[in-house]
């Protein structure tokens, strides 16, 4: 018999075979453990900004948009998710920015609102409060602008065919497996995720995946089909 194929009697000793079997079994257990850890990772726990609803209303002179969001604190795109909380953000575009503008609205029998601040860069008024409005279909707002009061009903842009943020994220996990696998190990996901509902005639989603070095892989996704329309890395 060729020496190359000659059996190794030492290796074939029962004790060595048993030792080899136990080591192999241990290594297999490690691989399965790591694989299970990866499979069981909940990527939604790494979402540090979630915009799940948008409400819109306008008159001839005023335009209101309301965002239902959950954001981390402090809000920093550093690839490390922090504790987050729900909030409602109201933005108002008016003819001038030098008028006093106040807002009130009711949710669950409780009144929210106050005087709105003005952003000189964006040329719009804004108001934030800690409140979850993600499940609402509309929000009735009273706006007092320059001493004149009007009532607007801001209606959600979501429809029955609009996919949920979780459905969008799950679809992206399947379509972009190499991206998420490259940032995932047995300890978890080394990054954070932004999921934002946006509206341009119809709903879309922006999803940003940010690693620990601040690199961002961004996606524009159809809000009704889940199809990735654009991808950009920066």
């Amino acid at each position: 018999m060729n020496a190359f194929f000659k059996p190794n009697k030492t290796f074939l000793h029962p004790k060595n075979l048993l030792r080899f079997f136990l080591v192999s079994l241990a290594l297999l257990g490690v691989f399965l453990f790591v694989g299970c850890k990866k499979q069981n990772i909940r990527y939604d726990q790494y979402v540090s900004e979630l915009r799940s609803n948008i409400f819109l209303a306008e008159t001839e002179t005023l335009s209101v948009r309301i965002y239902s969001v959950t954001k981390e604190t402090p809000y920093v795109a550093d690839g490390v998710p922090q504790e987050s909380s729900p909030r409602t953000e109201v933005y108002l575009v008016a003819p001038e920015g030098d008028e006093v503008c106040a807002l009130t609205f009711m949710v669950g029998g409780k009144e929210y609102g106050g005087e709105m601040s003005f952003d000189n860069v964006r040329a719009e008024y804004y108001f934030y409060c800690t409140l979850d409005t993600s499940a609402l279909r509309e929000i009735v707002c009273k706006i007092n602008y320059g001493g004149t009061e009007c009532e607007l009903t801001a209606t959600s842009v979501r429809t029955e065919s609009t996919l949920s943020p979780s459905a969008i994220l799950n679809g992206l996990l399947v379509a972009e497996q190499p991206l998420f696998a490259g940032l995932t190990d047995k300890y978890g996901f080394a990054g954070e995720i932004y999921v934002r509902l946006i509206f341009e005639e119809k709903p879309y989603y922006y999803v940003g995946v940010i690693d620990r070095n601040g690199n961002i892989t961004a996606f524009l996704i159809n809000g009704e089909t889940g199809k990735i329309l654009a991808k950009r890395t920066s």
Side-chain angles (χ1 to χ4, degrees), residues 110-127:
K110 184 177 179 180
E111 184 176 276
Y112 297 85
E115 185 172 330
M116 303 185 77
S117 302
F118 187 75
D119 185 332
N120 289 292
V121 176
R122 297 179 178 271
E124 61 185 7
Y125 293 89
Y126 63 91
F127 173 84

Side-chain angles (χ1 to χ4, degrees), residues 58-76:
E58 62 179 7
T59 67
E60 293 182 356
T61 56
L62 303 177
S63 176
V64 174
R65 70 185 188 280
I66 303 174
Y67 293 153
S68 299
V69 302
T70 300
K71 284 185 177 180
E72 67 174 1
T73 305
Y75 183 66
V76 183

Side-chain angles (χ1 to χ4, degrees), residues 52-53 55 68 131-139 156 158:
S52 55
N53 211 341
F55 307 84
S68 299
L131 175 65
D132 184 0
T133 52
S134 59
L136 299 183
R137 298 301 306 159
E138 64 180 30
I139 300 175
S156 172
R158 297 184 60 89

Side-chain angles (χ1 to χ4, degrees), residues 45-49 70-76 80-86 192:
Q45 296 180 341
Y46 296 88
V47 175
S48 55
E49 180 187 354
T70 300
K71 284 185 177 180
E72 67 174 1
T73 305
Y75 183 66
V76 183
V80 182
Q82 304 291 343
E83 184 177 352
S84 59
S85 59
E192 61 181 333

Side-chain angles (χ1 to χ4, degrees), residues 19-33:
R19 189 177 296 114
F20 175 78
F21 173 78
L22 292 175
V23 171
S24 299
L25 186 62
L27 288 173
L28 178 61
V30 170
F31 292 142
L32 289 175
F33 175 77

